[in-house]
């Protein structure tokens, strides 16, 4: 059903997409990727510091709420392979552990999550991060379709609003409906769908931005946060249970082939690049990057 929905209910297109996904999983041994923790743990800690993502709680309907520090993720302390590996492991852990646990907790089948995307710190220099972000979104679009119900964009600076204006017309209507651009930290709107305890730390105070401080001193991105500790310990446990398949523990990243982006994804990436270059050339830096009100999609 997810693949049919992702291909606008076209059976031939959905079948091809599903077969491509299954082949990708076999060729890259995705079924045992959770038995291949990133070693040593210091490297995993560095990845958590530069690819900012974490689980903050659950919505009122039971969907897991993930926070992404898009603007402050630098992807500059490890190889591309490490970041792709970590992202895929996060997806697999969500599908195998987080969503089944949420279904059991809330007494109903839960197949999707919510994502709160923090744009604090997004600058024209984001041009250098587009390749990495395109790889990650391509993996999601082609191999994990329809796993996110809604994307909430918060703390959006001028550079985001400029890019959003040119990207929005390129999106499919189905995708547009999933994206909500909220004013400021989005706290009031988010509280309609989740309790205060599940809000990401950067949404708990208006104008707080993506501060690294949370109420308990450990934000959801941190390697020391319970979610990341549970995920990392789970991978080490899976490695011990699958010694025959994965072999002895060793340092190094897992190489995963990233599919080529589809026409829509490639066009969006090129459009963002062009807009950022235009902003640079037209003195876009003179604009304020403080949060501004943006019309919703």
């Amino acid at each position: 059903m997810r693949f049919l929905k992702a291909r606008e209910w076209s059976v031939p297109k959905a079948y091809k997409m599903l077969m491509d996904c299954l082949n990708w999983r076999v060729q890259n041994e995705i079924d045992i990727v959770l038995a291949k923790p990133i070693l040593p743990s210091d490297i995993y800690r560095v990845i958590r510091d530069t690819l900012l993502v974490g689980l903050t709680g659950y919505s009122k309907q039971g969907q897991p709420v993930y926070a992404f520090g898009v603007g402050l993720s630098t992807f500059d302390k490890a190889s591309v392979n490490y970041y792709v590996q970590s992202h895929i492991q996060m997806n697999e852990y969500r599908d195998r552990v987080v969503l089944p646990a949420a279904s059991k907790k809330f007494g109903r089948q839960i197949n999707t999550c919510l994502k709160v995307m923090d744009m604090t710190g997004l600058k024209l220099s984001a041009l250098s991060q587009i390749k990495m972000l395109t790889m990650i979104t391509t993996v999601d679009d082609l191999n994990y379709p329809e796993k996110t119900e809604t994307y909430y964009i918060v703390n959006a600076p001028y550079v985001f609003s400029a890019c959003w204006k040119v990207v929005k017309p390129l999106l499919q209507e189905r995708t547009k409906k999933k994206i909500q651009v909220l004013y400021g930290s989005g706290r009031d709107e988010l509280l309609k769908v989740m309790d205060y305890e599940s809000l990401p730390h950067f949404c708990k105070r208006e104008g707080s931005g993506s501060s690294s401080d949370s109420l308990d001193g450990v934000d959801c991105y941190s390697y020391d946060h319970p979610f990341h500790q549970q995920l990392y310990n789970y991978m080490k446990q899976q490695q011990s249970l699958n010694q025959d398949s994965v072999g002895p523990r060793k340092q190094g990243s897992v190489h995963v082939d990233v599919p080529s982006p589809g026409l829509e994804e490639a066009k969006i990436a090129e459009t963002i690049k062009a807009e950022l270059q235009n902003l640079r050339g037209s003195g876009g830096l003179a604009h304020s990057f403080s949060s501004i009100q943006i019309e919703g999609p």
Side-chain angles (χ1 to χ4, degrees):
M1 289 299 291
R2 291 190 295 110
F3 286 84
L4 278 168
K5 191 174 181 180
R7 287 297 176 260
E8 305 294 336
W9 307 105
S10 167
V11 173
K13 291 180 179 179
Y15 178 77
K16 181 181 184 306
M17 183 185 186
L18 177 58
M19 294 307 297
D20 288 345
C21 173
L22 292 175
N23 287 332
W24 174 81
R25 294 187 67 87
V26 171
Q27 292 167 7
N28 293 282
E29 299 184 328
I30 301 300
D31 284 352
I32 57 173
V33 73
L34 285 176
K36 300 177 180 180
I38 293 172
L39 300 171
S41 60
D42 286 347
I43 297 179
Y44 188 73
R45 182 184 291 274
V46 165
I47 292 171
R48 296 279 58 85
D49 290 341
T50 52
L51 171 52
L52 305 180
V53 57
L55 179 69
T56 66
Y58 299 88
S59 72
K60 294 177 181 178
Q61 298 300 314
Q63 295 126 319
V65 177
Y66 284 88
F68 285 80
V70 179
L72 295 176
S73 290
T74 57
F75 306 105
D76 62 350
K77 299 299 182 183
S79 69
V80 169
N81 287 340
Y82 274 122
Y83 287 113
V84 172
Q85 177 184 349
S86 178
H87 180 73
I88 291 172
Q89 288 172 331
M90 194 82 67
N91 283 350
E92 292 291 314
Y93 187 73
R94 174 198 63 202
D95 294 348
R96 300 189 207 179
V97 178
V98 176
L99 288 173
S103 298
K104 183 176 181 180
K105 179 179 180 179
F106 289 91
R108 69 181 190 87
Q109 188 64 35
I110 295 173
N111 298 313
T112 60
C113 64
L114 305 180
K115 293 181 179 178
V116 184
M117 320 290 282
D118 180 26
M119 297 296 165
T120 298
L122 190 66
K123 301 176 182 178
L124 296 183
S125 58
L127 188 62
S128 62
Q129 302 168 20
I130 289 179
K131 182 178 180 180
M132 187 70 245
L133 291 170
T134 301
M135 293 176 71
I136 286 175
T137 56
T138 298
V139 167
D140 287 352
D141 291 344
L142 298 182
N143 299 294
Y144 302 93
E146 302 299 322
K147 298 301 293 189
T148 302
E149 182 169 308
T150 308
Y151 297 87
Y152 296 99
I153 310 297
V154 302
N155 297 319
Y158 169 79
V159 68
F160 172 83
S161 65
C163 291
W164 177 241
K165 287 178 182 178
V166 296
V167 167
K168 184 179 175 182
L170 304 178
L171 299 176
Q172 295 181 9
E173 199 61 36
R174 173 176 54 82
T175 304
K176 289 181 188 178
K177 291 178 180 178
K178 289 185 176 184
I179 301 173
Q180 294 189 28
V181 185
L182 306 181
Y183 174 71
S185 70
R187 181 189 61 189
D188 293 342
E189 289 300 312
L190 291 173
L191 285 174
K192 296 177 182 179
V193 297
M194 66 187 75
D195 294 330
Y196 182 84
E197 291 72 20
S198 294
L199 284 178
H201 60 277
F202 50 79
C203 296
K204 289 188 173 179
R205 289 184 297 147
E206 282 294 341
S208 62
S210 192
S211 167
S212 61
D213 294 326
S214 64
L215 292 179
D216 57 6
V218 178
D219 69 45
C220 65
Y221 302 147
S222 172
Y223 170 80
D224 297 314
H225 188 274
F227 168 71
H228 287 296
Q229 286 291 299
Q230 291 164 10
L231 167 56
Y232 197 68
N233 289 333
Y234 178 86
M235 290 191 289
K236 290 192 292 184
Q237 180 186 53
Q238 290 301 304
Q239 185 180 49
S240 298
L241 295 173
N242 292 273
Q243 285 288 346
D244 293 340
S245 301
V246 301
R249 297 177 64 179
K250 60 182 180 179
Q251 184 174 343
S253 61
V254 174
H255 176 76
V256 176
D257 293 326
V258 178
S260 299
L263 292 177
E264 181 185 25
E265 291 84 359
K267 187 173 183 180
I268 289 171
E270 288 303 315
T271 299
I272 292 174
K273 287 182 182 178
E275 183 62 21
L276 289 173
Q277 288 169 344
N278 288 338
L279 288 171
R280 279 178 171 173
S282 62
L285 285 171
H287 290 278
S288 168
F289 286 156
S290 60
S291 296
I292 58 173
Q293 185 169 4
I294 302 175
E295 294 181 2

